[in-house]
Amino acid sequence: MSLRFRLNLMIGLVMLAIIGMGTLFVVHNARRSVAEEVRSSVNLALQLIDAGLEQAVAAGRSPVDWIAQLARLDRTRHLSLSVRQGESAIIDLPSSSHPAEGEEAPGWFAWAVAPEPRVAEKHLHQLGNPMIQITIDANPADEIAEAWIEARGFLLLMLALAITVYLVVHTTLGRAFKSVGVILEGLEDLENGDYSRRLPEFYLPEFARISRTFNHTVCTLEKTREENRALTQRSLAIREEERRHLAQELHDELGQSLSAIKAIAASLRKPERDDEATTDAIGAIQSICDHLFTVLRTLMQRLRPLMLDELGLKASLEDMIENWRSRYPRIALDFSCDDGIDECVGDARIHVFRIVQESLTNVVRHAGAAHLGIHLNLIEAAGGRPEALLLEVSDDGAGFDPAQAPAGLGLLGIRERVESLRGRFSLRTRPGAGVTLSIEIPCQDPCP
């Protein structure tokens, strides 16, 4: 459960507990009030009967005549009056209960506040006549209805206050946790490497401090990443320049020296010199020179593909792919490349070339794949203008656990190059399911 749900649940339970305790308090007081009122009514009726009998006796009237006059009374509100002499009933007045419409107490309330039944009896003994029995039975219905009217108002007021408090707290928490949600979204963007997100200035001072601290941290991280990206680009540029210079030196110095050695060896092979040992030595020199020429061309190609500067990225990649197909015929290699790649990547073409080259090396060394796909496609903007290059490299090899990336600098170097170009790097793999590498690089110099 989220913190917001827990707080709302706790507040709701507290409000229900308050309402429950208030209801118990109201029921307790109502029950006590009804019981007291019923007891008072019964006692008052007994006192009135005693007083009436005393006045009748003092006036010389018969108690039976005075009691018979009670039959003229209408039904009493709280009491039932019954007078019996022997086996005959003289008076039978049930109570009158006529609560106003809509004011009758509900069953649960009546059951909760109803007092214990209270019946009072009075006996009059007369010489020569049967005993007169006066029975007073209390009826608390009207008192319960009146208690319900008072309790209902209090309960409604307490319910309204509880709902108001809950809504106020819920609204306050909702606004506060809305700020928490914005902060969490910002942290997720930060985790994903998006440093462009800025948090707004919240109205709560605690969240406002978090917002300012977060924005300062993001600015610092963004500045640091830009500095690291610039250093990485500078480092890669220096490394490529050193490779280019080394390739040029190999071509100019070592290549010319080997050519001179081979030419001298060829000049020594003359018809008049038929010394077999000399001829074999000259042939060995020429063979070694041919082998060194092959090694030299391979080294120069790996250090700095001359075709990249002369014919562009697409032609260089096609040439490299053909060489790999001839060297590793067991791997079925599917390659496709859109036109306009060179115009999109601009000066970053050497980095794209190195990424593809490193991907091929990783597949051969580690994947054990039978099929490999390399696809370079242009992503077009709304106006049809290329805005990014999408490179996808996928194989059906062994794969690996992304949480335990294999040791080595291959993937690290690829990621480093992609980040230096402000691109996005995505790796999908699992053991036994191959590897899919997706790289998106924004165009350095988009075509108009």
Side-chain angles (χ1 to χ4, degrees), residues 27-105:
V27 169
H28 174 73
N29 285 343
R31 181 183 177 87
R32 185 175 59 183
S33 176
V34 170
E36 184 67 26
E37 186 67 24
V38 168
R39 183 172 58 252
S40 298
S41 299
V42 172
N43 292 336
L44 179 60
L46 291 174
Q47 292 175 6
L48 290 175
I49 291 174
D50 289 339
L53 290 174
E54 291 177 0
Q55 291 178 359
V57 172
R61 298 168 57 190
S62 172
V64 176
D65 295 336
W66 181 86
I67 291 174
Q69 292 179 359
L70 293 177
R72 300 177 184 178
L73 297 175
D74 196 2
R75 295 181 177 182
T76 58
R77 184 181 180 194
H78 302 298
L79 303 173
S80 296
L81 181 63
S82 174
V83 182
R84 302 182 67 85
Q85 187 174 17
E87 297 297 331
S88 61
I90 300 176
I91 299 174
D92 190 6
L93 293 178
S95 65
S96 174
S97 179
H98 301 288
E101 184 178 357
E103 295 181 355
E104 185 175 356

Side-chain angles (χ1 to χ4, degrees), residues 114-126:
E116 296 292 332
R118 187 174 182 82
V119 179
E121 293 183 351
K122 186 174 182 62
H123 300 87
L124 298 178
H125 299 277
Q126 301 182 89

